[in-house]
Amino acid sequence: MKLATIPNGTRDGELVVVSADLSRAVSAREIAPNLLTAFEDWSSAEPKLRALAKDLAEDLAKNTFAFDQATALSPLPRSFQWIDGSCFKNHLYLMAKATGRDPEIEMNSPFPLMYQGMSDDFYRPHGDIPLPREEDNIDFEAEVGIVLDEVPMGTTAAEAPQYVRLILLINDVSCRVYVKREITVGFGWMNAKPSTAFSPVAVTPDELGAAWTGKVELPIRVDWNGIRFGEPNGREMSYTFYELIEHAARTRKLAAGTIFGSGTISNADYRNVGSACIAERRSIEMLEHGEHRTGFMKFGDTVRIEMFDKDGISIFGAIEQTVTKYEKVA
């Protein structure tokens, strides 16, 4: 089942069911006005949404319409909680080595690295990334993520699969100039992490078949200004999402609609598959050449993030965004 959110003049948009090929959609407002509401009573909403998806697939649904990724909102335009990990140890290693930190500290940690980001307002999948300064070293980060039903405190990794409801793609936008300062302070991200963007479509785990193993074992395609930047595979994630759930739920419950991110996807074979963020490429350049050769994003730059199934069909649609200068409205 594939779900999306389209604009309807409200903060949370209108929930729609999308066809497997992303070409058609049908409103689900009679089941739930928006996806956040659906998560509040998922046990009731899910079977109705699946029935509607079946009708759509069999051309039985009424009032269908062409699905336009370019106008869709993020599947959850806002939510109660957004938690991002850094769960690819190859990425951690490269970043630590290039900045003179001891990689063993992060590589040998028994716990995944995680932070809580802002979740009150997410960027659209297609549109602008408005930011105040190019000098803030603007970066994209291609990730995969999950959306959860309510998770009880103390949930173990073995119990966690029952709470994973949807999977999506992520552009975890970063302003790298603030990273060192905020790491040194040690109290979490603030200026380094503006709003996040998600793919136009979120899918249930069964849509991925054998590629879903608690990880998403497929390559993620990243293009910067129309040029292929990287296509690393999510299979090298060092922790499963189930382990992330266990870690986060150790002392708290997780609200329905909580989103988890994998962190920047990174592979040991980076020379062949490339990277999923600029900072990692710059780290590789520093290690191999002793200098940074790639700059960060400028106003007008675009990034496209997409993932395909074995038949070459786009699974989630594409994140396609342009960095623009933020102008404060008086």
Side-chain angles (χ1 to χ4, degrees):
M1 178 169 64
K2 300 192 175 190
L3 302 176
T5 296
I6 61 174
N8 68 349
T10 69
R11 284 285 304 274
D12 297 304
E14 181 174 329
L15 176 62
V16 299
V17 175
V18 182
S19 62
D21 65 357
L22 308 183
S23 67
R24 306 288 296 170
V26 60
S27 174
R29 61 178 174 267
E30 298 301 321
I31 299 170
N34 55 66
L35 184 54
L36 199 57
T37 301
F39 272 114
E40 292 292 280
D41 190 9
W42 188 256
S43 61
S44 173
E46 182 185 23
K48 297 173 185 176
L49 291 169
R50 285 193 177 275
L52 185 57
K54 184 174 183 292
D55 285 348
L56 180 61
E58 297 175 355
D59 293 326
L60 298 175
K62 298 179 180 179
N63 301 316
T64 64
F65 54 90
F67 178 64
D68 184 4
Q69 296 183 38
T71 60
L73 305 177
S74 281
L76 284 168
R78 57 178 177 167
S79 192
F80 297 113
Q81 188 164 214
W82 151 238
I83 300 175
D84 199 17
S86 187
C87 300
F88 288 82
K89 289 194 174 183
N90 182 70
H91 178 72
L92 293 174
Y93 177 83
L94 291 170
M95 298 290 282
K97 286 288 286 184
T99 55
R101 305 195 316 272
D102 181 0
E104 297 305 314
I105 296 173
E106 295 170 357
M107 296 288 287
N108 294 328
S109 171
F111 306 110
L113 298 180
M114 304 176 76
Y115 79 91
Q116 288 183 292
M118 59 172 289
S119 59
D120 56 312
D121 183 47
F122 296 130
Y123 290 130
R124 290 180 179 232
H126 288 231
D128 293 342
I129 302 173
L131 290 169
R133 303 190 317 153
E134 290 180 343
E135 293 80 7
D136 289 343
N137 293 347
I138 302 162
D139 200 354
F140 49 80
E141 292 187 53
E143 309 182 11
V144 292
I146 59 173
V147 191
L148 303 176
D149 203 344
E150 183 168 302
V151 177
M153 181 166 53
T155 293
T156 66
E159 297 166 333
Q162 65 186 300
Y163 301 110
V164 178
R165 299 300 180 221
L166 297 173
I167 302 169
L168 35 62
L169 302 183
I170 300 169
N171 180 17
D172 183 38
V173 180
S174 294
C175 293
R176 298 289 185 183
V177 77
Y178 300 108
V179 167
K180 183 176 181 180
R181 183 188 75 189
E182 294 186 339
I183 285 178
T184 302
V185 171
F187 212 65
W189 300 121
M190 182 56 67
N191 297 143
K193 294 292 183 180
S195 292
T196 304
F198 301 92
S199 51
V201 174
V203 310
T204 48
D206 55 282
E207 289 285 336
L208 298 184
W212 171 247
T213 62
K215 311 174 184 181
V216 177
E217 299 196 14
L218 289 168
I220 193 164
R221 185 175 297 176
V222 185
D223 293 340
W224 180 12
N225 291 332
I227 299 171
R228 184 63 36 79
F229 188 83
E231 203 165 358
N233 195 302
R235 63 173 171 252
E236 292 184 29
M237 190 173 171
S238 302
Y239 300 90
T240 67
F241 279 108
Y242 307 143
E243 292 171 297
L244 299 190
I245 292 169
E246 177 178 286
H247 179 69
R250 191 177 306 277
T251 59
R252 67 179 75 180
K253 73 174 184 179
L254 306 174
T258 292
I259 308 170
F260 271 61
S262 66
T264 304
I265 297 176
S266 180
N267 291 172
D269 187 26
Y270 55 81
R271 289 184 179 86
N272 290 315
V273 301
S275 298
C277 74
I278 299 170
E280 181 175 296
R281 176 179 282 187
R282 285 166 58 86
S283 294
I284 294 165
E285 291 169 345
M286 181 60 70
L287 292 171
E288 295 187 348
H289 308 292
E291 63 179 1
H292 297 135
R293 296 182 174 182
T294 302
F296 288 100
M297 299 186 82
K298 303 296 185 183
F299 296 142
D301 280 7
T302 62
V303 60
R304 182 181 177 95
I305 299 169
E306 197 165 11
M307 184 174 282
F308 299 86
D309 65 17
K310 59 182 176 57
D311 297 317
I313 304 299
S314 181
I315 301 170
F316 305 93
I319 298 171
E320 188 163 359
Q321 298 174 294
T322 302
V323 177
T324 60
K325 182 172 177 55
Y326 171 71
E327 301 290 349
K328 187 175 180 179
V329 178

